[in-house]
Amino acid sequence: MKDFPCALILRSLFLIGLVCGVSPVDAADAPLIDAAYQLLASKCQECHGDSAREGGLRLLSDNDLIQRNDSGEPAIIPGKPDRSELIRRVSAREDERMPPEGDPLSAEEIALLKKWIESGAEWPVFDAGPIHWAYQPPQRPAVPAVQEEWQSQVQTSIDAFILHRLDQNNPGLEPSAPEDPAKLIRRVYLDLIGLPPTPDQIEVFLQDPSQDHFERIVDRLLSSPQYGEKWARQWLDLARYADSNGFQADQFREIWAYRDWVVNALNRDMPYDEFTIKQIAGDLLPEATLDDKIATGFHRCTTCNVEAGVDPEENRTNQIIDRVNTTGIVWLGTTLECAQCHNHKYDPFTQQDYYQIFAFFNNTPLEVVQPNGSGVQFEVSGPLIDLPLPEDEQQKLAELREQLKRVKDEAQTREQQLAETRKTWEQQLASSLKDAPQWHTLTPSSFTSEGGSAHQFLEDGSILLTGNAPDKDTYTITFQTDLSGITGFKLEAMTDPSLPGNGPGRGSAERPNFVLYEFDLSATAGEGVQVPVTLQQASADFSQSNWPVEKLLDGDLSTGWAINPQFGKPHWASFLTSKPIGTSEPLTLTVRLPQHYGGARTLGRFRILAMTGNPGGEAISPELAEILSLPADKRTKAQSRKLVAFQEEADPQLADLRKQQTALQKQIDGIQPQTSLVMVEMEQPRMTSIFKRGNFLDPLATVDPATPHALHPLPIEKNQQATRLDFARWLVSEENPLAARVAVNRWWSEFFGHGLVDTLEDFGSQGDRPTHPELL
């Protein structure tokens, strides 16, 4: 009894040989092809036959021999036994030897297989066995006759099939009586537009519940905009439509235009083949329209992982896997995902088939990016298309562009006027340099921190605070200078990458503020006494509300200057002296900066500058003064450009025009069209490989785009690579036995609660058989 199953299988194979004309004779004196077949049937088909597919390998046809199995290699390479996996495995040691149980093949049997492969590995020609119902080409069946007393209930041929099956399977059972008119109208409203009828609509139908009136209601509902909205819902579920990208970091994405496209397509009663082709490959249609491209949003609805640490290429690969699996479910009613890791165990789809379909979708760019090279958070990316602006925004945009053109023309005219007077302007500027104010960076000679902060003196004269930031602090800085006639001072609060939030304060990264209470300055000339310097006319580029810069000079240690909310950018405060300080003697300056607000709201990097010259004169930098001192023909192009920029920036009229230009451009930039995610093909196709066990990091043999061997062929010219458009047309070809069946079954399920095939997504051998196969 222990050996009974094997004996039964061998007996079955013996009978198959008789029926198919293959004589079960000894290998020694049988024809080579028949002998090789008999050997494989008796030794291998128990694990690699009709009921089992170990390792992704079946040995039932010549196609099975050359299809790649789960190892990524075909079992046999005709003409090359030494490169055939089959020969390697039957000759291997025990851990890899086939068959895994029982006696190994003898040397004579292995020699027979080698000789057979060397001769071309031909397979016996058998009569085709039964084909699974779902893969049989559809045939229009004759409409069956029904009992005479049921004839009145036959309004369409579908009724005849239903009543005929009722009579066959349940003799004596009567069909249900026609439904109450009130329930009937409620059902048709809910089925077609997803909304119940109003009491008035019900009442009107009850007054005339005729078939003609019912059909008029159906026609009106089919023409209603709500029809497309109701029926789009089940399709959008198949498309995995969502306004965000899934996963934990669930970012918003703009793809609502695809949703509207589906609604409009259903309301226009778009043919199903056109509906399919546009969603799979609308972008590849000749002279593709905006709507054609929007339709490809079907396969941009995949989830998209933008969490920190994601591998963008793995994410892209997972999205293509999702596209293949979804296509299999929606149009083929097939669990293609089984073949991602191995040949399908039950249906005639191999791992090679899977990755050949994968290749149709593989020519896509990455769909997540790191904005500004942040290195942390990712964002949804990938191809998108601009949508037309609403009419009112188009008009506003046109007006703004016209205004911008006028302002640019005025600015250009003013620039020409300044160029014509530049020589005179340079002469006047040069003559005014004697009293022009100039800023000089003071180089610190010492620094102390009452809070114990560490520091660095940087080459630009600034001081950078480092290490742990104390809660409160007071800085004291000294400078040695030979400047004379100092008329003002400037404190620059600077940013730095080492500071929280880039600074300029040392508090939290979210609020890197500082609060400075006074700017105390004293001076010592030569070996003399330290004397306080009186400052006045404080000004700053920005002051926080209730913390104005003027409070730095009031002598009150409860008031001061801060810069919330303008964090992460540099700021400055400047002061004038009540009288010039500094003579021919070296001068020692001491600055004290108290900062006792708390929370480490202290300066993180700063620099102090001194001004000489007339504060009311024309301000000019030492660099510009040097450029101006050169003859025009001795200046470099860069120096000339800096001089021109200085003249233009100092001109009030041009400055106002440029300010208007900036404001108008900002308004124009703010009127951006909304977008929708779409599919596009890359110019250079990607290489597609079979992934060992579905792992994208373990590629095996490369494959080209192709359709499953078990279904109808893809009609393309020789040496031409098939495209996504070819694949879309193949899906809805009249030769495809699955696409129409799957669609009709899904619609049937929407009306009746379950399909003719209950497993909507699986028409394969493991799915349910149809209750009424003739209707499919």
Side-chain angles (χ1 to χ4, degrees):
M1 291 299 292
K2 180 180 179 182
D3 296 328
F4 177 75
C6 295
L8 180 62
I9 290 169
L10 290 173
R11 181 174 180 275
S12 300
L13 293 172
F14 178 84
L15 293 175
I16 290 172
L18 293 178
V19 170
C20 299
V22 180
S23 301
V25 294
D26 293 335
D29 49 13
L32 181 62
I33 296 172
D34 291 350
Y37 169 75
Q38 291 295 340
L39 178 59
L40 293 174
S42 62
K43 297 284 188 176
C44 307
Q45 284 188 358
E46 181 177 355
C47 296
H48 304 286
D50 219 353
S51 59
R53 193 176 194 162
E54 295 297 327
L57 173 64
R58 275 181 177 154
L59 295 173
L60 299 177
S61 70
D62 52 352
N63 184 62
D64 290 329
L65 300 175
I66 58 174
Q67 283 287 342
R68 290 183 171 87
N69 51 58
D70 291 355
S71 70
E73 298 295 334
I76 288 171
I77 299 178
K80 299 178 180 179
D82 293 339
R83 292 180 53 192
S84 296
E85 180 72 4
L86 176 68
I87 298 300
R88 189 185 76 81
R89 296 302 289 271
V90 297
S91 307
R93 295 181 178 180
E94 290 188 4
D95 56 342
E96 286 191 305
R97 191 200 70 200
M98 293 291 149
E101 297 179 1
D103 295 331
L105 268 61
S106 65
E108 291 77 11
E109 289 171 326
I110 295 173
L112 168 65
L113 291 177
K114 286 183 176 180
K115 184 177 180 182
W116 169 65
I117 294 172
E118 193 169 22
S119 69
E122 292 187 33
W123 196 255
V125 178
F126 300 139
D127 294 334
I131 300 175
H132 183 64
W133 71 269
Y135 308 132
Q136 297 176 24
Q139 301 291 332
R140 182 177 294 276
V143 178
V146 299
Q147 297 181 30
E148 186 174 347
E149 60 268 28
W150 293 354
Q151 289 289 340
S152 62
Q153 299 198 38
V154 179
Q155 297 181 22
T156 70
S157 58
I158 293 177
D159 296 325
F161 284 99
I162 300 298
L163 293 170
H164 178 69
R165 175 57 60 89
L166 178 66
D167 188 34
Q168 272 190 327
N169 292 4
N170 303 278
L173 189 65
E174 293 290 324
S176 300
E179 191 52 88
D180 172 75
K183 289 184 178 180
L184 184 62
I185 188 173
R186 179 177 173 84
R187 285 179 181 175
V188 75
Y189 264 79
L190 291 173
D191 277 342
L192 293 183
I193 67 172
L195 299 170
T198 65
D200 289 343
Q201 290 168 332
I202 295 174
E203 185 60 34
V204 169
F205 182 63
L206 292 179
Q207 292 174 9
D208 176 19
S210 65
Q211 181 66 21
D212 179 65
H213 189 192
F214 180 75
E215 290 181 3
R216 292 201 306 273
I217 291 174
V218 170
D219 289 339
R220 177 168 55 81
L221 295 178
L222 290 173
S223 301
S224 165
Q226 283 75 41
Y227 169 77
E229 293 169 6
K230 191 273 181 188
W231 281 85
R233 287 183 305 182
Q234 60 100 356
W235 187 262
L236 291 172
D237 284 344
L238 295 172
R240 50 284 186 243
Y241 175 83
D243 290 315
S244 58
N245 60 286
F247 288 95
Q248 182 180 0
D250 201 18
Q251 294 176 346
F252 177 78
R253 62 185 179 191
E254 283 190 350
I255 198 169
W256 57 265
Y258 167 70
R259 174 202 65 200
D260 289 3
W261 182 89
V262 173
V263 172
N264 294 332
L266 292 170
N267 279 331
R268 294 199 309 268
D269 198 23
M270 182 180 288
Y272 189 63
D273 57 349
E274 182 182 347
F275 184 70
T276 294
I277 290 170
K278 289 189 174 185
Q279 291 182 88
I280 296 290
D283 58 308
L284 300 181
L285 287 169
E287 299 179 6
T289 65
L290 176 67
D291 270 3
D292 294 339
K293 295 173 183 177
I294 290 172
T296 64
F298 178 91
H299 272 320
R300 289 305 307 281
C301 289
T302 55
T303 54
C304 189
N305 190 350
V306 294
E307 297 169 14
V310 68
D311 180 341
E313 177 60 19
E314 181 181 19
N315 180 81
R316 190 191 72 85
T317 300
N318 289 338
Q319 289 176 309
I320 298 173
I321 288 169
D322 174 81
R323 287 167 188 149
V324 175
N325 298 345
T326 300
T327 301
I329 289 172
V330 173
W331 279 280
L332 301 176
T334 298
T335 54
L336 281 180
E337 61 266 33
C338 297
Q340 177 189 340
C341 301
H342 51 73
N343 292 342
H344 204 295
K345 299 298 183 186
Y346 305 106
D347 298 328
F349 301 104
T350 65
Q351 194 179 19
Q352 180 172 335
D353 290 334
Y354 185 91
Y355 287 98
Q356 288 174 166
I357 297 175
F358 184 103
F360 285 112
F361 298 101
N362 197 26
N363 301 324
T364 56
L366 293 174
E367 296 178 31
V368 295
V369 296
Q370 288 176 305
N372 304 321
S374 65
V376 183
Q377 186 64 50
F378 288 84
E379 288 185 358
V380 176
S381 180
L384 48 80
I385 194 168
D386 289 343
L387 303 177
L389 286 169
E391 188 174 342
D392 59 336
E393 290 193 10
Q394 289 184 33
Q395 182 177 352
K396 182 179 179 182
L397 188 60
E399 293 172 355
L400 289 171
R401 284 173 173 165
E402 182 61 33
Q403 293 178 42
L404 180 61
K405 182 180 182 303
R406 176 180 55 78
V407 171
K408 282 183 174 179
D409 290 343
E410 291 180 13
Q412 187 175 11
T413 300
R414 182 57 183 163
E415 288 169 2
Q416 292 172 351
Q417 293 172 348
L418 293 175
E420 292 169 1
T421 63
R422 185 159 297 129
K423 186 174 181 180
T424 302
W425 170 81
E426 287 183 16
Q427 292 172 350
Q428 294 173 346
L429 182 62
S431 65
S432 68
L433 285 181
K434 296 177 183 178
D435 294 328
Q438 295 187 38
W439 288 105
H440 311 269
T441 300
L442 297 175
T443 303
S445 55
S446 69
F447 172 86
T448 60
S449 160
E450 289 186 6
S453 293
H455 69 279
Q456 294 179 12
F457 292 141
L458 303 184
E459 292 183 0
D460 63 354
S462 65
I463 300 173
L464 175 65
L465 282 300
T466 60
N468 294 328
D471 188 55
K472 303 174 183 179
D473 211 338
T474 297
Y475 304 157
T476 302
I477 316 99
T478 61
F479 305 91
Q480 306 293 330
T481 180
D482 294 327
L483 291 174
S484 61
I486 297 174
T487 54
F489 290 89
K490 180 187 286 187
L491 168 66
E492 291 182 340
M494 307 169 73
T495 59
D496 193 88
S498 67
L499 298 174
N502 214 33
R506 303 187 73 190
S508 66
E510 294 75 23
R511 300 170 63 84
N513 200 0
F514 64 84
V515 181
L516 179 62
Y517 285 88
E518 288 292 317
F519 187 87
D520 287 333
L521 177 65
S522 60
T524 305
E527 301 296 329
V529 180
Q530 192 176 49
V531 178
V533 177
T534 303
L535 301 174
Q536 60 188 9
Q537 298 185 35
S539 61
D541 68 318
F542 175 78
S543 291
Q544 178 178 329
S545 177
N546 298 322
W547 294 87
V549 69
E550 293 83 4
K551 298 298 182 180
L552 290 179
L553 305 180
D554 64 358
D556 185 350
L557 288 178
S558 65
T559 63
W561 176 52
I563 48 90
N564 181 19
Q566 291 197 9
F567 310 127
K569 58 178 67 174
H571 295 282
W572 58 264
S574 66
F575 322 94
L576 298 181
T577 60
S578 59
K579 61 180 181 180
I581 65 171
T583 59
S584 57
E585 294 184 81
L587 190 67
T588 299
L589 299 172
T590 303
V591 177
R592 188 170 178 273
L593 303 175
Q595 304 159 82
H596 50 261
Y597 187 93
R601 289 175 175 83
T602 56
L603 287 163
R605 180 184 174 193
F606 66 95
R607 180 169 59 184
I608 295 177
L609 300 87
M611 182 176 68
T612 59
N614 181 5
E618 184 80 36
I620 185 170
S621 68
E623 182 185 16
L624 280 172
E626 183 180 352
I627 294 172
L628 198 61
S629 67
L630 297 172
D633 59 351
K634 298 297 184 182
R635 298 170 188 160
T636 65
K637 290 183 178 180
Q639 289 173 328
S640 298
R641 284 195 297 269
K642 286 182 179 180
L643 205 57
V644 170
F646 180 74
Q647 182 195 19
E648 291 179 348
E649 289 168 3
D651 182 68
Q653 182 180 345
L654 183 58
D656 181 62
L657 289 170
R658 287 179 172 174
K659 185 177 180 181
Q660 293 180 49
Q661 185 175 327
T662 300
L664 288 168
Q665 188 63 57
K666 186 176 181 180
Q667 291 184 67
I668 290 171
D669 292 343
I671 303 176
Q672 292 293 332
Q674 291 187 288
T675 61
S676 190
L677 300 175
V678 295
M679 294 285 284
V680 299
E681 289 290 277
M682 297 174 66
E683 291 185 7
Q684 184 64 36
R686 293 178 184 269
M687 181 182 71
T688 300
S689 300
I690 296 173
F691 298 152
K692 185 174 183 179
R693 293 296 180 185
N695 180 5
F696 88 107
L697 295 176
D698 197 356
L700 299 172
T702 60
V703 294
D704 292 323
T707 51
H709 181 84
L711 298 177
H712 58 292
L714 178 67
I716 59 170
E717 295 181 9
K718 190 176 181 181
N719 299 326
Q720 177 184 346
Q721 180 152 313
T723 68
R724 194 162 23 95
L725 181 58
D726 295 320
F727 178 69
R729 288 169 171 160
W730 174 87
L731 276 177
V732 289
S733 164
E734 291 186 0
E735 296 179 71
N736 189 342
L738 290 168
R741 283 178 172 139
V742 171
V744 168
N745 187 61
R746 190 175 291 117
W747 296 330
W748 188 283
S749 174
E750 284 291 312
F751 281 119
F752 298 108
H754 58 83
L756 295 166
V757 177
D758 266 343
T759 51
L760 304 184
E761 77 292 346
D762 190 0
F763 275 46
S765 62
Q766 299 300 296
D768 293 341
R769 288 191 59 82
T771 56
H772 298 72
E774 301 86 353
L775 293 179
L776 291 176

